[in-house]
Amino acid sequence: AELKKASKRLTCHKRYKIQKKIREHHRKVRKEAKKRGRKKPKKDPGVPSAAPFKEELLREAEQRKQRLEELKQKQKLNRQKEHEKKRKLEAKKNAAKIKEKAEGKESSGKSKAKSKKLLDKNSKKSFCKELKKVIEASDVVLEVLDARDPMGCRCPQLEQAVTCSGGDKKLLLVLNKIDLVPKENLEKWLNYLKKEFPTVAFKSATLMKDRTMEQVTKRRARIDLSRTTECFGSKCLLRLLQEHGKTQNKAIQVGVVGFPNVGKSSIINSLKGVRACNVGLARGVTKSMQIVHIDKQTKMLDSPSIIADPSNSALALALRSIIDTEESGSADVLEGADAILNHCSKQQVMMHYSIPDFRNTEEFLTLLAQKRGMLKKGGVPDIENIAKLLLCDWTGAKISYHSQPPGSQRLPTYLTEDKIAEMQECFNLKNLEEENTTTVQALKYPSPASSIIFQSAGMANGTIEENKVTEEASEWENLETSKEGEEEEEEDFTESDDDQDDVEEEEKDVQEVTRKAKLGKRQTHPTNSEKQIAESEHSNSLSFSLDKTADEDDAYDFNTDYV
């Protein structure tokens, strides 16, 4: 039996009720409309027949209507033409793209390589140009050294360029960050360096008022201002420069030069007393020459940092290279972290970071990542980011470590006794020594037990000539272009998603195994010097004091015994 559809018929009672409701609604709407006072627009009555010049007025009205219609038609035509032009341009662009694809990947690869060359020339080459400008323009060159590793901050190429330039150019060594080194070690370094060049002990002010700032914030007011805002050694340096200017009878230009994160810009800021130059933890913040007027007789020239030569050791490249840790690859960062840990006392590193015993760098980084809470999805330790953080700590002013000066003083080939006498001619060395002693006595220093013993890699080579930089850049570009070519070839070869995922997973596993093997080899074969340092640390472990400059998070807990 077929199902019958429900009938749409209504009872009369219901139908009448609905009609009544509709009538009431319409009545209500009309009432509201009356209240608002809305009325229908009245029709135009037109020109009355009794009016004079009726025909002329009607003609004018018709002419206006015609003009409006003509304008509308013209606008329509213009729009259509514009649309057609756009369509033609799009068609041409598509055709050009198709032609480029048909011509081959060689032409596109060449164009990419050219554009990359232009971009690369604007980085390292420009740094070298600006640095050369500063050296040529300056009468006195200040080579800024980190007091924690002064020998590693010295650049023989720069010193040779200044000493062999001729004329009355002078070279001064400024030993910065002296508050991060034990007092005895600082005195040793000052005695060692003053035999070659006149050296100034300096502690730059880290928290400086910006030109736009009027008041220091409340948070900054709580910080220990004796360690941050105060500057030591600025008066001594200014006197030296002013005395030299008086002997020359002219206004002198002072170039500030050095490797990245040594404190070039902060020295200028502390001499000026205002934040005139940009300062940051990132490497290579200053990218061009900046002129800062300190007084009528002295101009300071801030320069970009020296580019570390790739022939340097892994340690020198980790601490002195201009490449930012954010941009550098994971392999370079891990190599740098491995080199730093290999040149330090293992026990002191464990004490400083409050981490148990570790076999290799990979294990140390995993433990540190777990402690700091730097984890990826699934609780996997983020080794790359923790390695970058480690490099930032060691180049910044967070960790106190110190290196011992060489036992016997050997002069470099470019330095002779006559040149040393030339460099020390116009400076009052007795006053300099007295003022250095006053600055050394005024500061608070970390205890020798809390400061990590560091083995320096010696002088770091730097590239000052532009030609060498361009050759390196071109080699790097060729590598990049070859990689791009391989990637494009891989794109043409299509395979299933499952196969690609399997291949990628296998490649990652292989890379991790090789990286662990490399780091393990480096850590398992320590040098004799490192063994000696470890033995000395084991004997002096009882004389460890709690005067640490590290953060409260990294404080060593003596109640816990790690096995």
Side-chain angles (χ1 to χ4, degrees):
E2 290 181 2
L3 290 166
K4 288 184 179 180
K5 288 181 182 179
S7 176
K8 290 181 183 179
R9 290 174 73 185
L10 297 169
T11 55
C12 290
H13 173 74
K14 207 168 189 179
R15 193 168 66 250
Y16 295 146
K17 201 175 182 182
I18 290 162
Q19 285 171 2
K20 193 180 178 184
K21 287 267 183 190
I22 290 163
R23 281 197 301 274
E24 282 173 2
H25 174 71
H26 286 312
R27 201 179 302 133
K28 204 174 184 181
V29 168
R30 282 197 296 274
K31 269 187 182 180
E32 283 174 2
K34 271 184 184 178
K35 282 176 186 176
R36 285 176 202 156
R38 282 187 181 179
K39 293 178 181 179
K40 288 180 183 178
K42 288 181 179 179
K43 287 182 181 179
D44 186 19
V47 182
S49 55
F53 311 111
K54 184 183 174 182
E55 290 176 1
E56 287 175 9
L57 290 167
L58 289 168
R59 276 178 212 155
E60 280 176 9
E62 280 176 8
Q63 282 171 4
R64 277 177 213 152
K65 277 184 184 178
Q66 283 176 0
R67 280 173 204 159
L68 286 168
E69 283 175 5
E70 282 172 6
L71 274 169
K72 281 179 185 177
Q73 284 177 355
K74 279 180 183 178
Q75 284 171 356
K76 260 192 182 181
L77 289 166
N78 289 330
R79 281 178 209 150
Q80 285 173 359
K81 283 176 183 177
E82 281 175 5
H83 283 300
E84 282 174 7
K85 279 181 184 178
K86 281 180 184 177
R87 282 171 195 164
K88 283 176 183 176
L89 282 167
E90 283 175 4
K92 281 181 182 178
K93 282 178 185 176
N94 290 327
K97 281 179 185 177
I98 292 158
K99 277 183 183 178
E100 279 179 5
K101 283 179 184 177
E103 279 171 8
K105 292 160 192 173
E106 291 178 5
S107 60
S108 62
K110 284 176 185 177
S111 64
K112 280 178 186 176
K114 282 177 186 176
S115 63
K116 282 196 174 180
K117 277 179 188 176
L118 291 167
L119 288 167
D120 286 328
K121 279 177 186 177
N122 294 329
S123 57
K124 285 189 177 180
K125 199 175 179 183
S126 66
F127 272 52
C128 276
K129 273 186 184 177
E130 294 296 317
L131 200 132
K132 261 200 168 182
K133 272 185 200 173
V134 170
I135 293 164
E136 285 169 7
S138 54
D139 301 310
V140 179
V141 178
L142 301 181
E143 191 180 7
V144 185
L145 311 176
D146 192 336
R148 296 173 291 183
D149 182 20
M151 198 56 79
C153 296
R154 284 182 71 177
C155 178
Q157 287 81 9
L158 177 102
E159 288 177 9
Q160 193 173 356
V162 175
T163 51
C164 301
S165 61
D168 295 328
K169 252 178 209 176
K170 304 290 176 189
L171 184 72
L172 278 171
L173 299 178
V174 181
L175 209 61
N176 195 19
K177 300 181 185 178
I178 56 171
D179 59 323
L180 300 171
V181 169
K183 192 178 179 182
E184 293 169 4
N185 185 258
L186 176 63
E187 285 169 353
K188 281 179 187 176
W189 272 113
L190 284 169
N191 290 327
Y192 179 83
L193 293 168
K194 74 179 180 183
K195 290 172 187 175
E196 293 182 21
F197 296 104
T199 58
V200 181
F202 201 91
K203 193 261 165 186
S204 54
T206 50
L207 284 178
M208 293 295 296
K209 274 190 180 182
D210 196 358
R211 283 171 179 168
T212 54
M213 284 170 66
E214 290 180 2
Q215 292 179 350
V216 182
T217 55
K218 288 179 183 178
R219 280 187 183 179
R220 286 190 179 178
R222 289 176 193 169
I223 298 163
D224 184 14
L225 298 173
S226 63
R227 287 186 59 81
T228 53
T229 52
E230 276 190 35
C231 166
F232 296 91
S234 58
K235 289 177 183 177
C236 171
L237 187 59
L238 278 171
R239 273 178 203 162
L240 269 178
L241 296 171
Q242 282 165 1
E243 282 171 10
H244 181 67
K246 283 173 185 176
T247 54
Q248 296 288 317
N249 292 323
K250 63 169 186 177
I252 56 163
Q253 291 186 331
V254 183
V256 185
V257 176
F259 280 103
N261 273 30
V262 161
K264 300 181 290 297
S265 301
S266 57
I267 283 169
I268 293 167
N269 289 341
S270 50
L271 288 171
K272 180 78 176 170
V274 182
R275 191 175 172 178
C277 303
N278 286 328
V279 180
L281 284 169
R283 302 183 189 186
V285 173
T286 310
K287 290 177 183 176
S288 60
M289 185 173 77
Q290 289 179 324
I291 300 163
V292 179
H293 295 265
I294 286 166
D295 52 37
K296 289 178 181 178
Q297 296 299 316
T298 49
K299 275 184 195 177
M300 300 297 282
L301 307 176
D302 192 11
S303 69
S305 41
I306 302 162
I307 296 158
D309 199 78
S311 63
N312 284 316
S313 61
L315 179 71
L317 289 170
L319 294 172
R320 310 285 164 237
S321 60
I322 207 163
I323 302 158
D324 190 10
T325 50
E326 291 176 4
E327 293 176 1
S328 57
S330 61
D332 298 332
V333 173
L334 288 168
E335 276 178 19
D338 184 37
I340 287 165
L341 290 171
N342 284 337
H343 285 77
C344 292
S345 165
K346 190 180 178 182
Q347 285 182 347
Q348 282 189 327
V349 169
M350 284 161 61
M351 296 283 242
H352 179 80
Y353 287 105
S354 65
I355 277 173
D357 193 12
F358 55 92
R359 285 169 288 178
N360 53 16
T361 311
E362 191 94 6
E363 194 177 345
F364 169 78
L365 292 170
T366 51
L367 289 165
L368 189 63
Q370 283 168 359
K371 197 201 165 198
R372 295 274 174 94
M374 290 184 81
L375 305 169
K376 292 179 184 177
K377 280 185 180 179
V380 179
D382 195 353
I383 291 165
E384 287 175 22
N385 283 328
I386 203 74
K388 287 172 187 176
L389 197 136
L390 186 89
L391 285 176
C392 284
D393 286 356
W394 279 76
T395 50
K398 197 170 185 182
I399 296 166
S400 77
Y401 60 91
H402 65 279
S403 59
Q404 294 295 333
S408 59
Q409 190 150 15
R410 291 178 185 175
L411 291 172
T413 52
Y414 53 85
L415 265 182
T416 57
E417 289 181 1
D418 296 331
K419 279 183 181 175
I420 290 165
E422 264 182 46
M423 292 293 147
Q424 294 176 351
E425 257 180 7
C426 301
F427 301 112
N428 193 348
L429 298 173
K430 284 182 182 178
N431 288 342
L432 199 151
E433 277 184 24
E434 286 172 7
E435 284 173 348
N436 276 342
T437 51
T438 53
T439 52
V440 167
Q441 286 169 4
L443 269 166
K444 286 181 182 179
Y445 298 96
S447 63
S450 64
S451 180
I452 297 165
I453 295 166
F454 180 76
Q455 192 184 356
S456 180
M459 284 190 184
N461 293 319
T463 50
I464 297 166
E465 294 176 9
E466 292 170 33
N467 300 326
K468 289 180 182 178
V469 176
T470 49
E471 283 167 13
E472 288 159 18
S474 62
E475 284 172 12
W476 183 253
E477 283 153 14
N478 291 330
L479 284 167
E480 281 183 344
T481 49
S482 64
K483 280 179 187 174
E484 278 183 0
E486 286 171 7
E487 282 173 6
E488 284 174 355
E489 284 172 8
E490 283 172 4
E491 280 174 7
D492 295 339
F493 179 72
T494 54
E495 57 186 15
S496 65
D497 295 336
D498 298 331
D499 294 341
Q500 282 179 349
D501 292 334
D502 295 336
V503 169
E504 283 174 4
E505 284 172 5
E506 284 172 10
E507 283 176 355
K508 282 177 185 174
D509 293 336
V510 170
Q511 283 175 2
E512 282 178 4
V513 170
T514 52
R515 189 175 64 192
K516 283 177 184 176
K518 281 180 185 176
L519 293 171
K521 280 179 186 177
R522 283 180 192 152
Q523 197 72 23
T524 50
H525 298 292
T527 57
N528 293 323
S529 59
E530 285 172 10
K531 284 178 185 176
Q532 288 169 4
I533 290 161
E535 284 169 9
S536 66
E537 283 306 305
H538 184 69
S539 63
N540 296 326
S541 61
L542 293 168
S543 65
F544 182 80
S545 69
L546 290 167
D547 300 333
K548 280 206 150 195
T549 55
D551 296 340
E552 288 177 7
D553 297 337
D554 295 336
Y556 185 70
D557 190 7
F558 287 89
N559 297 323
T560 57
D561 291 322
Y562 295 106
V563 180

